[in-house]
Amino acid sequence: MDREREPLIVGRVIGDVLDPFIRSVSLRVSYTSREVSNGAELKPTAIVDQPAVEVGGDDLRTSYTLIMVDPDAPTPSSPCLREYLHWMVTDIPATTGTSFGEGTQGHNTVYMNPGNEVVCYESPRPNLGIHRYVFVLFQQLGRKTVYAPRWRQNFNTRRFAELYNLGSPVAAVYFNCQRQAGSGGRRMWD
């Protein structure tokens, strides 16, 4: 079994959000200095600002769409808003090391945007339970071929990919997040 795909299966991202796929492009997502890895837990205070994203590739004629969804909205036990769309960027050029989103250089925030942010970043605010936040990267058929949906709640990644002929994802990564107060009176710190 593909070692990169296994955490997506264990975390039920493949199944709840995506069908099985083979990663073919590098995708790096970082909040300040912390890179997102499959299944990692991030605190709500660490994900307030949109992340810096690096997309790999070697053909400048290729464009990608990045989607961030919460398949556990509003709660993991009753995800009636599944999937909630937190962010969408289209027309991302395929170049090794292409970066966009908010990043930091020293203490200064740097914003890089080679793509088209069609749904602005909405900071996750999980109320109850552990939520999964999934970043999915699709290869587009061409530039300006993918458009924003009309609403964020009940977004469906599979149907969206089918509507715009995106095919299978080329990369995906997810993290977990829960309300910072924690459970059982335990306080979680940054």
Side-chain angles (χ1 to χ4, degrees):
M1 180 172 290
D2 181 2
R3 288 188 181 272
E4 290 184 15
R5 201 169 58 176
E6 189 174 319
L8 296 172
I9 294 170
V10 171
R12 296 183 342 269
V13 170
I14 292 179
D16 288 350
V17 180
L18 304 172
D19 293 324
F21 70 96
I22 295 173
R23 181 183 179 135
S24 59
V25 172
S26 65
L27 172 64
R28 185 171 181 232
V29 179
S30 301
Y31 284 94
T32 56
S33 61
R34 180 146 184 216
E35 184 172 346
V36 173
S37 60
N38 285 322
E41 185 169 332
L42 299 177
K43 309 287 187 244
T45 54
I47 58 175
V48 171
D49 297 322
Q50 72 183 43
V53 178
E54 293 181 24
V55 175
D58 54 14
D59 185 350
L60 286 171
R61 297 169 294 183
T62 304
S63 296
Y64 296 98
T65 293
L66 178 75
I67 295 168
M68 178 188 178
V69 295
D70 175 358
D72 302 313
T75 68
S77 61
S78 181
C80 61
L81 299 180
R82 171 182 287 171
E83 302 157 28
Y84 189 85
L85 180 64
H86 280 271
W87 195 30
M88 183 182 292
V89 182
T90 64
D91 301 324
I92 302 164
T95 58
T96 302
T98 293
S99 297
F100 65 93
E102 283 197 16
T104 57
Q105 274 183 341
H107 294 288
N108 299 323
T109 299
V110 177
Y111 183 75
M112 302 153 284
N113 190 12
N116 182 19
E117 187 179 51
V118 296
V119 176
C120 65
Y121 181 80
E122 183 178 306
S123 177
R125 290 180 292 259
N127 287 330
L128 185 62
I130 299 171
H131 289 242
R132 296 165 292 164
Y133 294 95
V134 183
F135 293 92
V136 185
L137 188 68
F138 290 100
Q139 183 175 330
Q140 296 176 206
L141 291 177
R143 290 187 54 73
K144 300 187 185 210
T145 58
V146 177
Y147 303 97
R150 291 189 175 144
W151 49 83
R152 291 178 185 256
Q153 67 274 7
N154 300 116
F155 180 82
N156 185 298
T157 300
R158 289 180 181 102
R159 277 186 281 182
F160 188 80
E162 186 178 315
L163 178 66
Y164 290 105
N165 297 311
L166 299 173
S168 294
V170 295
V173 65
Y174 83 101
F175 67 90
N176 295 314
C177 186
Q178 63 182 315
R179 189 175 179 172
Q180 226 157 323
S183 60
R186 198 179 81 195
R187 169 103 185 174
M188 297 171 154
W189 304 101
D190 292 332

